[in-house]
Amino acid sequence: SQQGEEDPQALSIQEGENATMNCSYKTSINNLQWYRQNSGRGLVHLILIRSNEREKHSGRLRVTLDTSKKSSSLLITASRAADTASYFCADGGQAGTALIFGKGTTLSVSS
Amino acid sequence: DSGVTQTPKHLITATGQRVTLRCSPRSGDLSVYWYQQSLDQGLQFLIQYYNGEERAKGNILERFSAQQFPDLHSELNLSSLELGDSALYFCASGRSRELFFGEGSRLTVL
């Protein structure tokens, strides 16, 4: 696995707005995953997108993958204060390999 | 609740000391992963075990060691502790398509 790099490092928005976070990676992937971490807590898996998929939805989350640009984006629509957290991407790599995470995007949603 | 249990939740110790962090993976998971999270280094992969065998090594210091026991629980041993070892240590289990993280052990070295 390789390290994904999230962008921006920090994002502040108002409740109800959409939040977009980006992830870039360097080599070919099997899948790309997004995780959320509430302050000081363990990471929680949000969504996985396979390398042959271009877009995937889960509730208010929308993930896109552009393998030609080696990038992915996570869109959270109609943000809520409870979405305040850090978001990390990681490439799934081959089965059984460890996930390597980037430094994450810290999202603050104010009411 | 992820199903991954880590103990202790908090640990305060002095430089030069040794500590052991414990992790019980989710029922049925054979893999255990250890990560270190600090403000300056971010989330760093340390080491992975699969069914008792070391599978992959990341940025693990020589002062650190780990093992996975026959009952699949794992321990991370940190010795000759330095101030810079203060961090959150996470254990995760699962497969590469989805990891389940424990709540972490917060280590403070004074």
Side-chain angles (χ1 to χ4, degrees):
Chain A
S1 294
Q2 59 183 312
Q3 183 174 17
E5 292 293 337
E6 297 86 350
D7 171 66
Q9 288 189 348
L11 182 60
S12 293
I13 59 173
Q14 299 285 320
E15 264 194 329
E17 294 181 339
N18 295 340
T20 299
M21 288 157 268
N22 303 297
C23 169
S24 60
Y25 56 92
K26 293 180 180 173
T27 60
S28 61
I29 59 170
N30 290 322
N31 64 68
L32 192 124
Q33 302 174 39
W34 286 90
Y35 287 76
R36 183 187 73 220
Q37 183 185 31
N38 290 346
S39 181
R41 306 291 298 275
L43 276 70
V44 175
H45 183 267
L46 292 176
I47 194 166
L48 176 152
I49 185 166
R50 294 183 181 12
S51 59
N52 61 354
E53 297 176 312
R54 291 296 166 259
E55 188 170 310
K56 198 163 183 179
H57 296 255
S58 177
R60 293 183 297 112
L61 303 181
R62 184 189 123 194
V63 169
T64 60
L65 180 65
D66 187 335
T67 53
S68 67
K69 294 181 180 178
K70 293 186 171 56
S71 68
S72 173
S73 67
L74 171 67
L75 168 67
I76 304 174
T77 59
S79 295
R80 306 166 181 167
D83 295 327
T84 294
S86 293
Y87 293 82
F88 297 85
C89 68
D91 129 53
Q94 296 184 356
T97 58
L99 291 183
I100 308 298
F101 295 88
K103 292 190 182 298
T105 292
T106 299
L107 172 65
S108 296
V109 182
S110 53
S111 53
Chain B
D1 182 6
S2 67
V4 178
T5 303
Q6 288 188 248
T7 57
K9 286 186 169 42
H10 301 276
L11 193 54
I12 301 174
T13 188
T15 54
Q17 295 298 305
R18 172 190 169 95
V19 298
T20 297
L21 309 180
R22 183 187 167 103
C23 169
S24 293
R26 282 191 328 153
S27 177
D29 285 347
L30 300 179
S31 279
V32 167
Y33 307 77
W34 285 98
Y35 290 86
Q36 177 196 56
Q37 187 175 39
S38 59
L39 283 175
D40 54 343
Q41 294 292 326
L43 190 62
Q44 299 280 315
F45 166 65
L46 295 179
I47 197 163
Q48 175 197 359
Y49 277 83
Y50 178 84
N51 202 20
E53 300 289 326
E54 182 184 302
R55 175 64 69 91
K57 251 184 180 178
N59 300 324
I60 189 165
L61 299 173
E62 286 191 10
R63 300 183 286 108
F64 296 0
S65 64
Q67 58 185 129
Q68 187 179 26
F69 296 87
D71 67 352
L72 301 178
H73 91 270
S74 178
E75 292 181 356
L76 179 66
N77 301 296
L78 316 175
S79 62
S80 303
L81 286 167
E82 302 174 359
L83 296 178
D85 298 327
S86 294
L88 256 177
Y89 291 84
F90 287 106
C91 168
S93 74
R95 300 183 178 185
S96 58
R97 286 177 295 177
E98 183 173 359
L99 292 188
F100 296 85
F101 282 76
E103 289 301 311
S105 293
R106 183 175 292 280
L107 173 66
T108 302
V109 182
L110 301 176

